[in-house]
Amino acid sequence: MNGLMYREYPYVFKAQAQILQHGVDERGMYLILDQSLFYPQGGGQPADQGAIHAINAVYQVFDVRKIDEAVRHYIVDNGQDVCRDSAVTLQVDPCRRLLNSKFHTAGHLIAAVAEQLFPQLRAVKGHQFPGEAYVEFDGVIDIEDDFLTSFSASVQDVISRNAVVKTTTLSSEAMHALADDLPYALAEDTAHRVCHIEGFPPVPCGGTHVRTLQDISALCIKKCKRKKNRTRIHYEVL
């Protein structure tokens, strides 16, 4: 895989590529391309969907995964032969990509606001699937009766400022200097892609994001749960 184009062009939904390989595994039939706009499921974010247009065929992409450093585009088997080295046009479903980007950025925002308000919390997991999204923290807080209302107000206040959201690459040294208290280890001697919400520290992230917080529109904090030494804040993007 020569190029993961979504990293630099998250708002580009159509591009050209070439088929390098094709095969079948337990998930189904797949294509491997020389470059891709499609986001492979990972980091809590669902995979993109869409279509790959060849000269004499259209392949519907229902899932995308990164396996052994190659991005596999899982396609509906339509009985048409796949030609290796064929030029194809990639078409990502823009509505699904934008919705996933909203959920992903919302998860980072919730983590940032919670860690700011409750220093004992450290975000350790994000699950950004629509209908089941949550951020999980190491640490617990007292959940008062008005928690959902007060925390929602804090998050909405940050959204109203319309902070810019950027992704960039930082050296390992720069990343450690900014985030020495991360609850997980970072790979040494390598650059790190980060998501940076204006006003908060950058965090390592490989996903897609909105341009500004107001692109999220309406964010609903649904519930907060405690279990052992963990806290989960569940949310929905409306």
Side-chain angles (χ1 to χ4, degrees):
M1 172 59 62
N2 294 327
L4 301 176
M5 300 170 69
Y6 65 84
R7 290 183 172 179
E8 292 188 52
Y9 310 106
Y11 282 83
V12 173
F13 306 111
K14 189 174 183 178
Q16 305 301 309
Q18 187 174 23
I19 297 175
L20 296 181
Q21 300 177 40
H22 60 88
V24 178
D25 65 14
E26 66 278 4
R27 288 191 179 89
M29 186 174 181
Y30 65 83
L31 305 178
I32 295 177
L33 312 173
D34 66 331
Q35 61 181 3
S36 182
L37 281 175
F38 287 84
Y39 181 82
Q41 180 171 310
Q45 180 173 331
D48 282 332
Q49 294 179 352
I52 297 175
H53 297 257
I55 295 176
N56 298 314
V58 178
Y59 307 106
Q60 297 299 322
V61 178
F62 67 87
D63 196 7
V64 187
R65 302 295 177 103
K66 190 174 183 181
I67 300 174
D68 297 329
E69 298 306 312
V71 176
R72 296 185 180 183
H73 304 74
Y74 291 92
I75 58 175
V76 177
D77 187 354
N78 56 14
Q80 296 171 301
D81 292 335
V82 176
C83 297
R84 184 172 177 174
D85 299 325
S86 294
V88 292
T89 299
L90 314 181
Q91 180 66 64
V92 172
D93 180 342
C95 294
R96 181 180 173 91
R97 163 67 67 80
L98 292 173
L99 182 63
N100 289 343
S101 296
K102 290 178 181 182
F103 269 90
H104 200 143
T105 307
H108 281 297
L109 175 62
I110 289 168
V113 172
E115 290 179 347
Q116 187 178 76
L117 294 175
F118 309 104
Q120 69 270 38
L121 296 183
R122 284 293 178 270
V124 293
K125 180 180 179 181
H127 181 74
Q128 297 110 11
F129 284 55
E132 51 190 69
Y134 64 82
V135 181
E136 184 168 295
F137 300 85
D138 185 25
V140 295
I141 57 174
D142 293 328
I143 304 174
E144 306 292 343
D145 291 340
D146 66 344
F147 174 81
L148 294 182
T149 300
S150 61
F151 186 73
S152 294
S154 297
V155 172
Q156 291 298 331
D157 179 61
V158 177
I159 291 175
S160 69
R161 303 174 201 166
N162 200 24
V164 173
V165 182
K166 294 182 179 180
T167 55
T168 187
T169 301
L170 297 179
S171 67
S172 179
E173 294 79 7
M175 191 65 238
H176 281 289
L178 287 168
D180 282 335
D181 59 348
L182 284 174
Y184 45 82
L186 292 174
E188 298 291 341
D189 302 322
T190 184
H192 297 276
R193 185 173 183 268
V194 298
C195 171
H196 188 189
I197 299 175
E198 184 181 8
F200 296 96
V203 292
C205 181
T208 63
H209 298 281
V210 298
R211 293 186 177 102
T212 70
L213 290 184
Q214 285 192 349
D215 291 337
I216 295 175
S217 303
L219 173 59
C220 174
I221 307 299
K222 297 177 65 178
K223 57 186 175 181
C224 182
K225 291 184 175 181
R226 289 175 44 176
K227 187 175 182 179
K228 296 183 179 179
N229 195 43
R230 290 290 176 93
T231 300
R232 279 189 179 182
I233 297 178
H234 297 253
Y235 67 97
E236 190 71 46
V237 175
L238 306 176

